[in-house]
Each structure stands twice: as structure tokens, then as C-alpha cells.
Amino acid sequence: MSDQHEPEFESPFNKLPIVVVFLFVIMAGIELTLTAGAAGFVGGPEAIGWRLGLVRDWGFSGDLFDAMLAQGYWAPEHLARLVTYPFIHLSFTHALVAIVLMLALGKMAAEVMGPLAMLALFVLSGVGGALAYALLLDDPVWLVGAYPPVYGLIGGYSFLMWRKLGATGGQQMQAFSLIAMLMGMQLIWSLFTSVGYGWVAELSGFVCGFVLSFLCAPGEWARILQKLRQR
């Protein structure tokens, strides 16, 4: 009888912060349900319209926000769209790329800044991206997908790189190479097809994530308070 033990299976989710797993379960669960419904595996004929129904009921509309702003009436069910739209995607591929980026960047942000700070970065960057989309544009296209909050996580990553390069005497502009590459890819892609104005929400989400990191990154809040006391 061999003394060797079979290697135990270790779930990859054991290595992910719980808040990242939580976001993954919601995003993947919704997308798998919609994909299965569109393929006819669940829900019957009505399931074909589930995705469009979710976009209508939980996606973010700049026109709806403008109407609330003009009337001065902030309907809770429409304000909720600022938080719910990142969990709805236009296709399986649209969701897959967003989920992969969220897992990688969310893991980094949660481990460095803490799970609550990572969640705040994700949610508030999504809200900021949607507000910019509504206030800066007059676009009737509904905003859906996790890309604005994911770009907020890229903003957090860029902030950490910016701070690290500053501490080591490196060229801090290198911290923005990732966002520059992504925006460059958007520009190139726009030459071949219509990409819409979702990039406004994404870039705004990045800016929100970078700015919020001054409060979320370890030691930054104490550093700000120290500088204020010295004045």
C-alpha cells in the first residue's frame, strides 16, 4: 500500500477575496442564465427576450436621468440603475471579457486596498461613469456592462503603479500605459466599426477609480491628514 497521497483539489476561488467571488457569482450567474435562455435550454420561448427586458428594467438610460434632473424627482427605481447596469451585458463575449478583467484587477485591488475598498472602488467608479455618460452626452443608447467600474479598477491599479514609481524615482507617466493602450485600441477599433460613446463612461470610471484611490489606498488617508495638519 503506497504512502503517497493523492493531491487534494483546491478550488481557484479559495485564492480570490470573497468580495471578488461575490461579484463574479452575480455577473456570471446572470450571463449564464441569459445565454441558456437565448439557446432555448431554460425559460421556453419567452427567454429569448430576457436580455432585452433586463436592459430595459435595470440598464442605465441617460434620457431617464436627464428627465429626473429636469423634473427634480429622483425615482428610487431609476437611481438604482446607477448600480445595477454593470451586471447586465449585451452578449456572452461582452460579459466574459468584463468578468476576466474584474477577477484579475479586483483580486489585486482587494489584496492591496482591502475588500471593502475594492467594492467601493468598483461601485463608485460605475456610478461616476454613468453620471458622466448622462451629463456629458445626449446619447439615447442605454449603458450596460461592467466596463466603467472595471476601468475604475484600472484607475486603482494605475494609482498604485504611479505611487510606486514615484517612491522609487521612476517615470510616473508609465503608470498610465495600460489606460493609454486601451484607449488607443478603442480609437483603432472605431476606424473599422461604430463603437458608440461607451468609452466616455469607461474613461470617466478610470478617472473616478484613480481619484478614489487617494482615499482607498493603504496609508493615503493618513498621509492626506498629515499634510493638512502641517498647513
Side-chain angles (χ1 to χ4, degrees):
M1 189 172 180
S2 174
D3 292 333
Q4 293 182 343
H5 297 283
E6 291 293 330
E8 295 182 1
F9 172 77
E10 184 178 358
S11 171
F13 290 108
N14 290 339
K15 299 180 181 180
L16 290 173
I18 187 64
V19 65
V20 177
V21 176
F22 174 73
L23 292 173
F24 168 79
V25 169
I26 296 177
M27 293 167 65
I30 291 174
E31 182 53 40
L32 288 176
T33 301
L34 294 178
T35 300
F41 295 130
V42 296
E46 295 180 358
I48 297 177
W50 282 355
R51 191 182 299 275
L52 183 59
L54 279 184
V55 172
R56 181 191 63 233
D57 295 339
W58 299 104
F60 180 79
S61 167
D63 288 343
L64 277 176
F65 185 85
D66 290 343
M68 289 193 296
L69 186 62
Q71 298 171 10
Y73 175 69
W74 303 99
E77 63 271 22
H78 294 322
L79 286 176
R81 297 171 184 269
L82 290 165
V83 180
T84 58
Y85 82 87
F87 299 98
I88 306 162
H89 294 85
L90 297 176
S91 67
F92 179 82
T93 304
H94 189 225
L96 179 62
V97 175
I99 290 173
V100 170
L101 289 173
M102 186 279 296
L103 287 173
L105 294 163
K107 181 178 185 296
M108 178 275 302
E111 290 177 346
V112 176
M113 301 182 182
L116 292 180
M118 177 268 165
L119 184 61
L121 206 65
F122 184 89
V123 173
L124 294 178
S125 295
V127 171
L131 290 176
Y133 185 80
L135 296 173
L136 299 178
L137 302 173
D138 187 19
D139 194 340
V141 177
W142 290 56
L143 181 66
V144 292
Y147 291 90
V150 164
Y151 270 68
L153 296 178
I154 295 175
Y157 166 81
S158 299
F159 175 85
L160 295 174
M161 290 296 297
W162 176 78
R163 188 175 68 173
K164 179 180 178 181
L165 289 169
T168 57
Q171 177 54 255
Q172 288 183 288
M173 289 302 296
Q174 293 179 1
F176 302 101
S177 58
L178 178 57
I179 186 64
M181 181 188 69
L182 291 172
M183 288 294 103
M185 291 173 61
Q186 290 259 25
L187 178 60
I188 294 173
W189 186 245
S190 68
L191 299 176
F192 302 97
T193 185
S194 176
V195 296
Y197 293 99
W199 64 268
V200 173
E202 295 164 3
L203 185 58
S204 300
F206 169 84
V207 173
C208 288
F210 187 87
V211 173
L212 287 168
S213 294
F214 280 94
L215 302 178
C216 296
E220 283 302 317
W221 182 240
R223 190 176 306 176
I224 292 173
L225 291 177
Q226 183 180 5
K227 289 183 177 180
L228 291 175
R229 293 191 187 104
Q230 292 173 351
R231 291 183 178 181

